[in-house]
Amino acid sequence: MPDAETAPNEHDPLRDLGVRANGDGGEIRVYSASATSIELCLLNDNDPDWVSERVQLSKDADDVWSGTSPNLVPGAHYSLRADGPLSPTNRFDPTLHLLDPYSRGLARTVTGEWRSYVQENSFDWAGVSKPNIPLDHTVIYEAHAKGISKLNPAVPEELRGTYAGLAHDTAIAYLKDLGVTAIQLLPIHQFVSEQRLIKQGLSNYWGYNTLSFFTPHAAYASRSAQFGGTGAVLREFKGMVRLLHDAGIEVILDVVFNHTAEEGVEGPTSSLRGLDNASYYRQDAKGNYIDVTGCGNTVNFASPVAQRLVLDSLRYWANEVQVDGFRFDLAVTLGRDASVEFDPQHPLLEAIVTDPQLAGVKMIAEPWDVGLGGWQVGGFPKGWSEWNDDYRDRVRNFWLTDIATARATGSAPIGIGQLASKLAGSAGTFSQERGPLASVNFITAHDGFTAADLVSYNQKHNLGNGENNRDGTDNNHSFNHGVEGQSHDPGIIASREKAIRNLLGTLLLSAGLPMITAGDEFGRSQHGNNNAYCHDSGLTWLPWEREDWQDNLLAVSRTLLRLRRENPALRPVRFGVSGESVPSASQMDWFNKDGVSMSITDWDSPAERTLQYLAASTPEFEEFNRILLVVHGLESEETVTLPTHEGVTSYRLLWNSAADDAPGEEHEPGTRLAIAGTSMQLFQAH
């Protein structure tokens, strides 16, 4: 039985939407403010195009339509048919079989259409619970549910590219050995490819085209699960979550609520459009879609029923399926009001992080969309973390395009000040109240160049996408180090490998919440394609066979993740305040190459791109810790004087991005050290 806090409110007009079991079979509840009739069609088990029973639903005062049937039981296939007035903002067609927006299971007919079915939810969690990893200890690994195991030779062939393959013991052992704490999966809600891609003979590999917000994508399940009857796909997904949790790894889902697979007004009508187009989608008075997503339609989150659809989906995945967090695609769309303007106090944004049924669940925003005022980094309420694209671009510039400019002109364009603010948690972007963990730091993501391609290509190479290289951003902040693409020049190869180490080192040694894109830890390439959304192939799958240099880079990644774990000064929970001791913050001191406090010139001068960053933890739950990070952003070698600071008697080298030799050397304050060009060194201060 649910406890008092999560029990359904009998007076809630939008309670229990979808199908619920009752003593006489099942009841369905569907919202539509615009329909004049809705019919439940129960379908033949062997032929889901054949209607075996029809039930006319009745409408209550709150625009919820309901009906019951003794045959509405687990395994039953069903659809909805809706009729209503002809108007510019509605798209009723009573001949169409529509999906229940709350259906937990979907099946396809022989003609390729989709039908809802009543899900069977039982599952034995075997006492395994959520890891509940604190945010400051979290490291996110963004991966594709299929791509991560498709090429894993240790996984049985029939399980490669499936939920079960992702949870294979070799895959879990890899994630544990690497040191990440959460896997963030590209969309696993049931999705379909866009009509345009289908006509081109391509498919949507990433999955940002949702058909159902409550159903796992069936094609990512093993064949035995796909044909295993009611509940088999869901059980395989839950089994994956259970095995990952048992290993201490959290599961975060990339969710796409901002638009649906119904596309533009001429797109396929499968659910929301046919049930209540006027309530669910943003339109003008003439029925033209107001599209701030670039995907043909935009869900109208000024509508309470659309808000409720999101909250109910999140509750289902977080509680029934035990998911640990969500990353919201184009999250600004979820915060747009009736005037299509972004409101940081939007009731949906507030509810997502205050709902008692979602307590403890990690919520991450992609804080932009393509509408007016769509870039809102730093603008979300407390409780949200946000993808920080300013962090991404500044770090790329410092280690890549600034170096390219310095080679071409003899001078870098700017100093080190902007990078320092990112190392310290982006306090200029996120409020004191929200702290550094509001920033999801990343160098790459599924969308864009991989880390290896950032250091190997100046231009995108997307001809394989079928759009004559027009798609994908041209603003990559990348540097090929002398030649476009593959090179056999030892100097270029060495520069590229060091640049990747610097990118990863910056990411994993910065304050904030780090996200690694799968494969960056060992230099995976997409051959210059920065928009590989339509490639379900070896171009996008994670390779499991590596070259020697890739194994060396993987070892560096493991080391950096271990050092982050072991040094709490690198992962403060709060921003420090000058003159105060703030619990779980880090006291930060900044020194130039001569070991003295940074001056304005040191911060801003393109000729002075060297700093020493001394951070001391202010313990709340862990032992006291102090580190020194030395960053040098020019290709010429530099000499630094290690700073003198109260309480520091020695510095022990932990990592050097320019050297493969074992660390451990001890140095006294005031020691002069040679620092290789474009490199980083991390010390523990004692």
Side-chain angles (χ1 to χ4, degrees):
M1 292 289 292
D3 58 36
E5 189 174 47
T6 61
N9 181 353
E10 293 183 0
H11 303 292
D12 177 1
L14 297 179
R15 71 186 185 282
D16 293 340
L17 294 177
V19 173
R20 295 292 188 277
N22 61 24
D24 298 317
E27 178 187 27
I28 187 167
R29 288 168 54 81
V30 181
Y31 178 90
S32 178
S34 305
T36 56
S37 68
I38 298 180
E39 180 182 67
L40 167 68
C41 297
L42 284 152
L43 308 169
N44 185 277
D45 290 343
N46 298 318
D47 182 2
D49 283 323
W50 181 264
V51 178
S52 59
E53 180 186 350
R54 291 179 171 86
V55 178
Q56 291 295 326
L57 306 188
S58 59
K59 181 181 180 180
D60 67 17
D62 298 301
D63 298 322
V64 174
W65 300 73
S66 62
T68 62
S69 169
N71 298 313
L72 199 59
V73 295
H77 291 71
Y78 69 100
S79 67
L80 299 165
R81 281 176 164 167
D83 201 358
L86 294 175
S87 72
T89 58
N90 281 311
R91 294 289 187 276
F92 289 108
D93 183 345
T95 68
L96 294 179
H97 288 279
L98 303 173
L99 297 174
D100 173 6
Y102 279 72
S103 59
R104 267 57 164 177
L106 295 181
R108 300 198 79 170
T109 70
V110 293
T111 58
E113 296 183 26
W114 292 90
R115 301 289 185 263
S116 299
Y117 70 81
V118 182
Q119 186 62 273
E120 202 283 305
N121 286 313
S122 64
F123 184 76
D124 182 6
W125 289 97
V128 176
S129 58
K130 294 184 180 184
N132 291 317
I133 296 169
L135 206 57
D136 60 312
H137 288 260
T138 297
V139 178
I140 297 170
Y141 189 77
E142 189 197 39
H144 191 283
K146 176 180 180 177
I148 192 171
S149 70
K150 186 63 178 176
L151 298 177
N152 185 348
V155 174
E157 187 171 358
E158 66 272 16
L159 298 182
R160 294 176 193 167
T162 70
Y163 301 126
L166 191 161
H168 189 266
D169 55 2
T170 58
I172 289 178
Y174 177 83
L175 297 173
K176 290 288 289 182
D177 185 54
L178 178 59
V180 297
T181 68
I183 185 165
Q184 180 174 297
L185 298 176
L186 269 66
I188 58 80
H189 288 169
Q190 183 66 59
F191 65 87
V192 293
S193 293
E194 292 86 344
Q195 300 298 300
R196 173 184 60 82
L197 287 178
I198 293 171
K199 291 176 182 177
Q200 291 179 281
L202 299 171
S203 64
N204 185 327
Y205 173 66
W206 287 349
Y208 291 88
N209 199 46
T210 307
L211 184 69
S212 169
F213 298 132
F214 291 84
T215 310
H217 191 63
Y220 294 162
S222 63
R223 183 174 177 83
S224 62
Q226 291 184 49
F227 294 93
T230 304
V233 170
L234 180 59
R235 283 193 296 274
E236 184 171 309
F237 188 91
K238 289 179 176 179
M240 174 197 73
V241 174
R242 182 179 64 190
L243 287 169
L244 287 163
H245 282 178
D246 196 40
I249 298 171
E250 295 186 320
V251 178
I252 297 172
L253 301 185
D254 195 332
V255 287
V256 188
F257 294 115
N258 57 81
H259 74 283
T260 76
E262 292 185 303
E263 302 185 37
V265 291
E266 301 303 323
T269 296
S270 57
S271 183
L272 302 181
R273 177 182 290 139
L275 288 170
D276 196 348
N277 191 55
S279 293
Y280 280 110
Y281 291 119
R282 289 197 181 275
Q283 306 171 67
D284 63 19
K286 296 181 179 180
N288 299 308
Y289 277 4
I290 300 170
D291 181 13
V292 300
T293 68
C295 300
N297 67 62
T298 298
V299 177
N300 180 14
F301 293 111
S303 167
V305 71
Q307 298 173 25
R308 183 58 176 267
L309 181 63
V310 171
L311 289 171
D312 284 344
S313 174
L314 298 176
R315 292 163 178 166
Y316 172 72
W317 290 98
N319 298 316
E320 293 291 329
V321 194
Q322 291 291 288
V323 163
D324 304 278
F326 302 93
R327 178 268 187 189
F328 295 78
D329 182 63
L330 301 184
V332 166
T333 300
L334 278 68
R336 289 188 179 272
D337 60 18
S339 301
V340 204
E341 295 181 355
F342 178 74
D343 176 8
Q345 279 76 51
H346 191 286
L348 179 57
L349 299 184
E350 293 281 3
I352 287 172
V353 292
T354 59
D355 188 332
Q357 296 186 54
L358 298 172
V361 177
K362 295 175 171 68
M363 301 297 184
I364 300 168
E366 182 184 39
W368 51 79
D369 65 14
V370 301
L372 187 65
W375 191 81
Q376 292 290 336
V377 178
F380 277 67
K382 182 181 179 181
W384 285 88
S385 296
E386 302 174 35
W387 275 26
N388 188 347
D389 63 336
D390 190 48
Y391 176 96
R392 174 199 64 197
D393 294 346
R394 183 57 247 155
V395 174
R396 289 186 184 188
N397 285 347
F398 184 82
W399 293 116
L400 299 174
T401 55
D402 288 1
I403 302 305
T405 300
R407 281 193 187 183
T409 67
S411 176
I414 64 171
I416 203 168
Q418 291 185 24
L419 179 72
S421 70
K422 306 308 172 192
L423 287 170
S426 300
T429 303
F430 300 97
S431 67
Q432 184 76 26
E433 179 187 34
R434 296 179 66 194
L437 295 176
S439 176
V440 176
N441 299 333
F442 66 107
I443 307 297
T444 70
H446 64 276
D447 184 3
F449 278 152
T450 67
D453 288 352
L454 278 176
V455 305
S456 304
Y457 295 91
N458 284 351
Q459 307 294 331
K460 66 187 181 186
H461 295 265
N462 295 356
L463 285 174
N465 298 356
E467 298 185 46
N468 295 316
N469 214 41
R470 293 189 301 268
D471 64 306
T473 183
D474 293 309
N475 192 26
N476 294 293
H477 306 269
S478 61
F479 176 37
N480 66 19
H481 290 84
V483 64
E484 189 76 353
Q486 187 176 7
S487 174
H488 299 287
D489 184 305
I492 291 175
I493 292 171
S495 293
R496 288 175 173 177
E497 292 178 7
K498 184 173 63 171
I500 297 175
R501 294 195 295 270
N502 287 330
L503 292 170
L504 290 172
T506 305
L507 174 65
L508 294 172
L509 303 179
S510 293
L513 180 58
M515 184 186 80
I516 302 170
T517 302
D520 276 356
E521 71 273 18
F522 57 78
R524 182 183 76 89
S525 173
Q526 290 181 169
H527 308 300
N529 192 318
N530 74 351
N531 190 35
Y533 72 102
C534 57
H535 293 276
D536 186 357
S537 68
L539 181 71
T540 51
W541 299 337
L542 189 72
W544 283 79
E545 294 180 356
R546 297 180 292 272
E547 298 178 17
D548 289 345
W549 74 271
Q550 292 179 307
D551 280 331
N552 292 337
L553 181 58
L554 179 58
V556 168
S557 299
R558 291 192 191 107
T559 295
L560 288 166
L561 283 160
R562 174 180 57 80
L563 293 173
R564 183 177 184 86
R565 266 193 320 274
E566 294 175 351
N567 292 277
L570 293 168
R571 40 182 175 79
V573 175
R574 302 177 181 91
F575 289 126
V577 177
S578 180
E580 299 181 18
S581 179
V582 178
S584 292
S586 288
Q587 176 61 47
M588 300 174 182
D589 294 284
W590 306 86
F591 304 92
N592 65 13
K593 65 184 180 184
D594 298 319
V596 298
S597 295
M598 296 280 284
S599 67
I600 296 297
T601 300
D602 295 326
W603 288 120
D604 297 337
S605 172
E608 299 292 338
R609 287 166 56 93
T610 307
L611 67 75
Q612 302 185 73
Y613 162 46
L614 190 65
S617 67
T618 49
E620 190 174 12
F621 305 108
E622 300 180 75
E623 295 295 320
F624 174 77
N625 171 246
R626 181 184 276 133
I627 60 91
L628 175 70
L629 181 63
V630 181
V631 180
H632 175 49
L634 293 172
E635 289 194 290
S636 56
E637 183 179 289
E638 187 59 86
T639 299
V640 303
T641 301
L642 298 180
T644 299
H645 191 277
E646 183 180 359
V648 177
T649 59
S650 69
Y651 296 100
R652 181 171 66 89
L653 181 64
L654 299 177
W655 179 67
N656 181 354
S657 72
D660 293 327
D661 54 322
E665 300 94 337
E666 296 270 355
H667 302 283
E668 295 181 356
T671 300
R672 290 170 57 81
L673 291 181
I675 304 296
T678 53
S679 72
M680 309 172 71
Q681 293 189 24
L682 178 70
F683 298 84
Q684 193 169 69
H686 299 282

